[in-house]
Amino acid sequence: MRPPPVRAVPPPTRRVGPRPPGRLPPARVGNRPAGRDGWAHGTAPPAAPPRSAPRPAPAAAAHTGVRVQAQRPLAPARAPSRCAHPPPSSRLRSSRGTPLAPAERLPTTGGARGHNGTRGVGTVPAGPAPATGGARTRSEQSPWASHHAPPAKAGPAPVRPSVPRHRTTVPYPYPLPLPPGGTPVTARSAGKTSRSVRKAPALDPGDRARLLAGEHHDPHGVLGAHPVKGGVVIRVLRPWAKEVAVLTKGKRLAMDDDGDGLFSVFVPLLRKVPAYELRVRYDGDEMPVHDPYRFLPSLGDLDLHLIGEGRHEELWTALGAHPMTHEGVEGTRFAVWAPNARGVRVTGDFTHWDGTALPMRSLGSTGVWELFVPGIGEGAVYKYDIARPDGSHTLRADPMARRTECPPNTASIVTASHHAWEDAEWMERRGARPPHEAPISVYEVHLPSWRPGLTYRELAEQLPAYVRDLGFTHVELMPVTEHPFGGSWGYQVTGFYAPTARMGTPDDFKFLVDALHRAGIGVLMDWVPAHFPKDDWALAEFDGRPLYEHEDPRRSHHPDWGTLEFDYGRKEVRNFLVANAVYWCQEFHIDGLRVDAVASMLYLDYSREHGEWVPNEFGGRENLDAVRFLQEMNATVYRRCPGVITFAEESTAWDGVTRATDQVGPGGFGGLGFGMKWNMGWMHDSLEYMQKEPVHRKYHHHEMTFSMVYAYSENYILPISHDEVVHGKRSLVSKMPGDWWQQRANHRAYLGFMWAHPGKQLLYMGQEFAQGGEWSVDHGPDWWLLDPAYGAEADHRGVRDLVRDLNTVYAATPSLWERDTVPEGFQWVVGDAADDNVFAFLRYDGFGSPLLAVCNFSPVVRHDYRLGVPEEFAAWTEVLNTDAARYGGSDVVGTDPVKTESVPWHGRSASVRMTLPPLATVWLRPA
């Protein structure tokens, strides 16, 4: 017997305020689409009973969550299921506040099915359903109906459908309205986090294992939010978390703990992935966080294309750690090149050095791994946890880190620059004159030991003033890139993109460069692309296999320094180094790069015995990959950074070091493209001569003249560098023979010869005041020698005064620098006076104005010494004499002009007679 028909009476409804956000398209009522209020078009909403009236008891069908279809017989009873068929409105929630999936039509037979095909919870006897006349059951009404329904309208009450007398089992209570703050609560669990009716599908065991092992190439395909049938699954990885909840569309959903730090939740009734946040509780308070796995890649296709081509000239803007705002959220993008890795995770102080939570995704064939981590900003300390091909893990510093921890700590630090440059005037005019036609006098500095203990900013207060007072045009900084061992002086680099943290931050270093520029001083920097150390936290076998180094040990292991050589044949490695050169010039306004150990790069057999090296493809010993790299580096730097100079420390006779890359030389190679080359031959020969006792120098006279045989083969700079004053080689003044007076006199005379010789000049710190001891990386120059309380202070101050005057006269005399690289700028007066230890030569500027330099390297005064000179000048006057008393000399100086006489001498039609001071150099120019 059928039960009597019962009318479905809706509960009291009243709508106040706006409709909740995130609503899906309107549901259908019967065969008619619902209107904006959820009611069928043309059908008025039911009138609400008066507030004083008791709430009518709902019919059983109102609790089933099943939309009653008109003229459709109900199915016979079936066994209960965990999930009832959901209501049509996107505003309906389960007992835990979870939105429910869209309604489906009931099957002709069988119990009501949920969105996953399970049977309905309630038991409904079979029987025909009466027509509803467009009215909807309680299960179809909004959860917020009692607060958001429109005012009641007059009219007949809607017809209640016929329902069975016995009620269905209710799987969730009726949702209550949102409290202030937007967190939904339910009648059963008011004020508590809601839970989804349906559990998220289990994670694939293979994905789970690879994810937890740090070997998943696409964690974003597993973690984060993903559409599934009937809704969206959100899965997060939060090791050590006690609870995790999701906030989306104003709802808070508790996530199920799946073990091993994995949490998941199924959100039904969503057709696309919503915006959401996480609430994570560990042992303490709950923390609001964004899920790193809900973001699209923050690295663009163009960046990836250029990286894949090995032509990303601003590589530092793509790889490394970059604070940024991505999709409206602040955080940091981490990106690293590790093509051989099975997986990469980022870890740091923000994960308590547990990398499990932040696996990175692989971006295709480029070998780049990327992850945007919300909430991480400047100052965060990090490394990469890399799964090697053999499954083992290694913790590595970022090769592209732009800031590092201070050694001996080795981690990388997230950073962004905030320095405002004030050197626009310098940058605009630094390239106005070609460098080989400009005055260049370089003071070489090891920053950590120049004034030990000073920071970059403190050095900015002292170094520019000191260098400017001595008249140097440039400083050359020994490597400022990060290095773990201070005793390497910076030449074993682990942080190619980071200034050493020993003296401050990258912005502090920029401040120092800025201060030098404002003082009118150019900044050169030693750059070391020849090799890198084997530290297991740096570049060596970075991702488990040879990556930055050559895979052949005969090409990768440097026999002299115990380091590894770069694989210049690999395009990504070339890109890493070329972009690094551009980085220092572009980001730090460096005016020149002195490339270290070029010879070791150019020759495959450098410091290797027979059988220890592999010939190139033509059977030669030239490293063709290194040649191409150096050409590309120079061409790129000169193209991108106008006014920059590159210097090669190259100690062999390689042809075309400073020749243009498109000009092929006799050896079949194009030029390397450097701006200048260190004249190592001049340095070795001249120092060899100066170390001899004067009585023996006549047998080595050619060592001072041989440099002019090849002086114009390259653009040269004459270096007295750090390499010549350490490791038992003694300081410059200590190399000189004789007593203390003669040593200083030789020292002064040699500097006068050096400044007058064709080529630019470089002098290492401490040699400008004749420091007697070798340079020590621990305590730097012996500044106490210039203390007025020291008895011999005048001797050292005199040499420093000479250096100041050498630079002053040099800068004001174009004949000393304007034609350094062409034969027209130099003429010998006498180069064969070996018995006298005398050298004399003329230097010319572009207009033919000369300067006469005369060097007497014997300890005797030579009176009435005749020298041939151009006849067109009637007299010559001294402009500098290294024997002057103010420099500590014997003061044999010429106070009056020397007149030209019509006496042929040295192949010239005129000559002068002058007195040559002992162990001294004299400069004269036309009176």
Side-chain angles (χ1 to χ4, degrees), residues 827-853:
Q827 286 184 4
W828 278 112
V829 173
V830 55
D832 57 358
D835 290 338
D836 299 334
N837 296 345
V838 172
F839 304 87
F841 51 86
L842 290 162
R843 298 294 312 278
Y844 291 94
D845 65 14
F847 296 99
S849 300
L851 179 136
L852 175 62

Side-chain angles (χ1 to χ4, degrees), residues 703-743:
E703 292 178 346
M704 293 291 273
T705 60
F706 182 69
S707 60
M708 292 311 303
V709 174
Y710 59 85
Y712 307 111
S713 62
E714 305 281 3
N715 303 330
Y716 285 113
I717 183 169
L718 313 178
I720 299 298
S721 71
H722 62 276
D723 279 328
E724 311 315 315
V725 296
V726 291
H727 297 327
K729 295 181 181 179
R730 298 173 294 171
S731 68
L732 183 58
V733 70
S734 296
K735 297 178 190 289
M736 306 303 172
D739 58 22
W740 175 234
W741 187 94
Q742 289 182 338
Q743 285 182 311

